[in-house]
Every structure is written in C-alpha cells, then in structure tokens.
C-alpha cells in the first residue's frame, strides 16, 4: 500500500485502473488505456491494480465494481468512474480534470 501511496502522491496525474482478470468489461478497457497513453504520453501516469491481488487498496478507495478508473493528483481524487469510458472521453477528462 505504501508504494501505491507514493505513486498517487506524485505531482503528475495518475490514472488508476482497478480491474479483475475475470471481468469482461475490464478486458475492453485495456486497449482503450493503451490508446489513451499514446495520446497523453508522459502527462499522465497510468497504472493497473488487480483488486483480487490488492484487496486492501481496492477497499481503501471503496472500489465496489470493476472496472473503476480513478484519477489522482498529489494524492487527491480528481475524478472517478465505474464502467467503460471511451478513448475520446478519457483523453478529454485527463486533459481537463480539475487541477490535473
């Protein structure tokens, strides 16, 4: 959990994809995140957290369903959404999130 805290406390925005291997919609999000990463490059760090392997992190952020995407900046949640988000929507959110 402390490594995760170090990551989300970054000055750089961090998008966390909470997922599970058994989750169908989570498999749809993976290529979307790859496309988003190619567009935002180093402006945003994107990490994936498997809720089955990291239940304490999922619990700490009240992740009740997957996929859940949470955008952090300096340790604070700037945006979150459960479910699939399209590439254009996500790029827009990452570029225009409050204080991101």
């Amino acid at each position: 959990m402390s490594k995760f805290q170090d990551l989300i406390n970054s000055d750089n925005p961090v998008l966390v994809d909470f997922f599970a291997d058994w989750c169908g919609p989570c498999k749809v999000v993976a290529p979307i995140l790859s496309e988003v990463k190619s567009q935002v490059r180093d402006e945003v760090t994107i990490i994936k957290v498997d809720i089955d392997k990291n239940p304490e992190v999922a619990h700490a952020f009240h992740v009740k369903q997957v996929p859940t995407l949470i955008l952090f900046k300096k340790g604070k949640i700037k945006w979150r959404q459960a479910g699939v988000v399209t590439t254009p929507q996500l790029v827009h959110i990452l570029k225009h999130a409050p204080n991101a």
Side-chain angles (χ1 to χ4, degrees), residues 28-48:
V28 174
V29 171
I32 292 170
L33 291 178
S34 294
E35 180 62 29
V36 167
K37 183 63 178 170
S38 73
Q39 292 184 39
V40 298
R41 306 206 183 277
D42 294 334
E43 295 173 46
V44 178
T45 302
I46 299 175
I47 62 173
K48 296 177 72 62

Side-chain angles (χ1 to χ4, degrees), residues 17-30 48-54 58 63-68:
D17 171 23
F18 288 92
F19 77 101
D21 287 335
W22 47 263
C23 165
C26 296
K27 293 172 179 34
V28 174
V29 171
K48 296 177 72 62
V49 174
D50 185 327
I51 64 162
D52 293 326
K53 294 178 181 166
N54 300 285
V63 175
K64 305 275 189 241
Q65 63 189 63
V66 287
T68 292

Side-chain angles (χ1 to χ4, degrees), residues 78-99:
K78 298 298 178 182
W79 172 85
R80 80 181 281 154
Q81 181 168 325
V84 177
V85 180
T86 67
T87 301
Q89 286 174 315
L90 197 48
V91 169
H92 179 79
I93 288 162
L94 295 176
K95 291 185 180 266
H96 299 96
N99 305 315

Side-chain angles (χ1 to χ4, degrees), residues 9-20:
N9 283 325
S10 167
D11 287 340
N12 207 28
V14 178
L15 179 66
V16 182
D17 171 23
F18 288 92
F19 77 101

